[in-house]
Amino acid sequence: MISVSDARDALLQLTREMEIEHVPLAQAAGRVLAQEVSARRDQPPFSASAMDGYAVKAAEVELHAMFQVIGEAAAGHSFDGELRPGQAVRIFTGAPVPRGADFVVIQEDVDRKKELITILSDPGPSSNIRPRGGDFHSGDSLAAPRILRPADLALLASMNIAEVPVRRRPIVALISTGDELVMPGGIPGPDQIIASNTFGLKAMLEDFGAEARILPIAADTEAALRMAFSLTAGADLVVTIGGASVGDHDLVAKVAGDLGMDRSFYKVAMRPGKPLMAGRLGGTPMVGLPGNPVSAMVCGHVFLWPMIQTMLGFRQPAPKIMTARLSHEISANGPRQHYMRAEISAAGDLTVFSNQDSSLLSVLSTANALVIRPPNDPAHAPGDMLSYIEI
Ligand code: AMP
Ligand code: MG
């Protein structure tokens, strides 16, 4: 049995970065930027008015000063001339500031009579001009790797980047195993249950940035498992669910071994999720998750997340570990690292659920945190700070 951190290291050893592909900006949301990209222009590309008003010379701005309006500049339509002393150009937000002007008096501070304006309120110190390149300059860059958020896409667009280099989404093949499993919507026999964590894991993997494919459920026979493995061609990661412990019907290790799996480890000192195995099968990393729904999902957070991160180009991915105040007593932990289902209230108080059975999806669904208890962590009292990850 190896520690959680050794298991994580071994899993990262198995994974490699996906190649780079170029996608149109409109399809790049949530993708991982693979290479630094640089602005193709200054933004704004000219000094621009930030307000509707009148462009004048700053040196001439004072209460009761008068100017003659000689033309207009609107967004997309610059004033084609140069401002001389005593002159003003009617200007609108986003318009280029005319040559010779270096101040915009907002229209609210001005009285206009025909082509004559008079400043009637103190315009204050702000020139109301956005300088050329005030947002970014040509050549300024967005660093990679980075998950592209909506604001990043707006930034890339204004940099005039139409196609973005991103990491290909890793393809994950999900194999559920067990004679007792039926797909949701199917008609279960009296001794059957519905395959559940398969769908939780698919959603989780997609949330992590992967593309997950659910393969047909494999029955608990060697032939069925071999057939399932044969359907994984093209996957970047194969994940089996169930059949990984040491029962008579737990055949994943046996069949994967027969198919030539190069095993990196089997069994991790954690709760839930002890019967986790991993290795390389025909050059593709393979992870065998325990079947218990909560175990499989917890292993997804703890192990599949850093694998997918690595595949997407993040080096040494570290989960965001936070701390919160415990609201009640909890007893000492045993010798395995324990990921306890818990709830953080809006006020930040932490409640660890009393029933930690690894089959209870209702508890997992209520939980919004996994409290991380190191091996042999002592008992805790209300007010103690505990570490957790958000789920
Ligand atoms: P196993 O690891 O195959 O011994 O499975 C452990 C427990 O998890 C058993 O109660 C299985 O019925 C259950 N189980 C296995 N796979 C799934 C699945 N995909 N969805 C829901 N429960 C499962
Ligand atoms: Mg099974």
Side-chain angles (χ1 to χ4, degrees):
M1 206 144 55
I2 65 173
S3 70
V4 169
S5 72
D6 286 351
R8 204 184 269 136
D9 290 347
L11 289 169
L12 296 190
Q13 289 293 315
L14 293 173
T15 50
R16 64 169 182 90
E17 234 168 46
M18 297 293 97
E19 57 278 15
I20 295 172
E21 63 185 16
H22 290 81
V23 297
L25 198 54
Q27 279 150 41
R31 302 296 299 270
V32 178
L33 186 68
Q35 285 168 334
E36 177 180 288
V37 283
S38 300
R40 301 221 161 99
R41 61 197 328 253
D42 293 343
Q43 176 61 24
F46 40 77
S47 63
S49 181
M51 303 293 267
D52 294 335
Y54 293 86
V56 296
K57 291 181 184 294
E60 297 179 344
V61 171
E62 59 182 15
L63 214 51
H64 308 305
M66 295 169 83
F67 301 84
Q68 192 199 2
V69 181
I70 57 159
E72 184 179 298
H77 304 277
S78 53
F79 172 74
D80 198 15
E82 185 166 353
L83 201 82
R84 303 198 180 286
Q87 294 182 333
V89 165
R90 177 72 170 124
I91 197 165
F92 299 96
T93 306
V97 174
R99 270 178 294 131
D102 55 1
F103 197 95
V104 171
V105 185
I106 64 170
Q107 59 193 32
E108 290 82 350
D109 290 346
V110 158
D111 176 65
R112 179 164 179 172
K113 295 247 160 37
K114 298 233 170 89
E115 301 313 312
L116 211 60
I117 58 164
T118 310
I119 298 179
L120 290 187
S121 315
D122 178 10
S126 165
S127 73
N128 298 310
I129 291 175
R130 298 177 178 139
R132 174 179 180 155
D135 195 355
F136 53 81
H137 288 101
S138 177
D140 283 355
S141 58
L142 193 62
R146 173 189 189 85
I147 296 177
L148 293 171
R149 299 173 305 130
D152 300 327
L153 297 175
L155 177 62
L156 290 170
S158 67
M159 290 176 160
N160 202 12
I161 311 284
E163 288 216 316
V164 195
V166 296
R167 291 277 160 206
R168 179 168 70 72
R169 291 184 192 281
I171 297 168
V172 184
L174 281 173
I175 302 176
S176 322
T177 72
D179 289 351
E180 76 281 26
L181 299 180
V182 176
M183 280 293 192
I187 302 170
D191 44 9
Q192 288 189 301
I193 60 166
I194 312 298
S196 58
N197 55 36
T198 320
F199 292 84
L201 287 164
K202 178 179 194 287
M204 188 187 286
L205 286 159
E206 286 171 353
D207 199 35
F208 296 162
E211 182 184 319
R213 296 184 184 162
I214 294 179
L215 299 188
I217 294 167
D220 286 320
T221 66
E222 293 192 27
L225 267 178
R226 262 198 298 276
M227 167 62 112
F229 279 119
S230 77
L231 297 175
T232 63
D236 302 296
L237 171 64
V238 174
V239 174
T240 61
I241 307 163
S245 32
V246 289
D248 291 349
H249 305 284
D250 293 325
L251 298 168
V252 171
K254 159 98 174 56
V255 171
D258 291 350
L259 292 172
M261 175 168 114
D262 179 13
R263 186 192 283 175
S264 14
F265 63 83
Y266 181 26
K267 289 195 184 154
V268 179
M270 71 185 282
R271 279 176 73 194
K274 178 171 125 186
L276 184 88
M277 85 175 89
R280 203 186 291 280
L281 189 56
T284 306
M286 183 216 139
V287 177
L289 298 180
N292 263 316
V294 176
S295 313
M297 298 284 285
V298 168
C299 287
H301 285 291
V302 176
F303 298 116
L304 298 183
W305 178 78
M307 292 182 87
I308 301 298
Q309 285 274 300
T310 304
M311 294 170 121
L312 290 172
F314 292 98
R315 306 260 155 83
Q316 302 297 323
K320 204 164 129 198
I321 294 179
M322 288 165 289
T323 56
R325 195 175 49 241
L326 187 64
S327 63
H328 57 99
E329 272 179 7
I330 50 172
S331 52
N333 187 30
R336 290 188 269 151
Q337 179 138 314
H338 197 172
Y339 291 86
M340 303 185 86
R341 278 67 77 200
E343 190 174 22
I344 312 259
S345 70
D349 291 310
L350 186 65
T351 304
V352 177
F353 294 122
S354 54
N355 195 338
Q356 295 287 325
D357 187 296
S358 64
S359 68
L360 301 178
L361 283 174
S362 52
V363 174
L364 185 65
S365 171
T366 310
N368 58 9
L370 290 176
V371 168
I372 307 168
R373 308 278 311 275
N376 306 311
D377 189 34
H380 286 287
D384 283 3
M385 299 299 283
L386 295 190
S387 298
Y388 70 94
I389 51 172
E390 263 175 4
I391 57 167

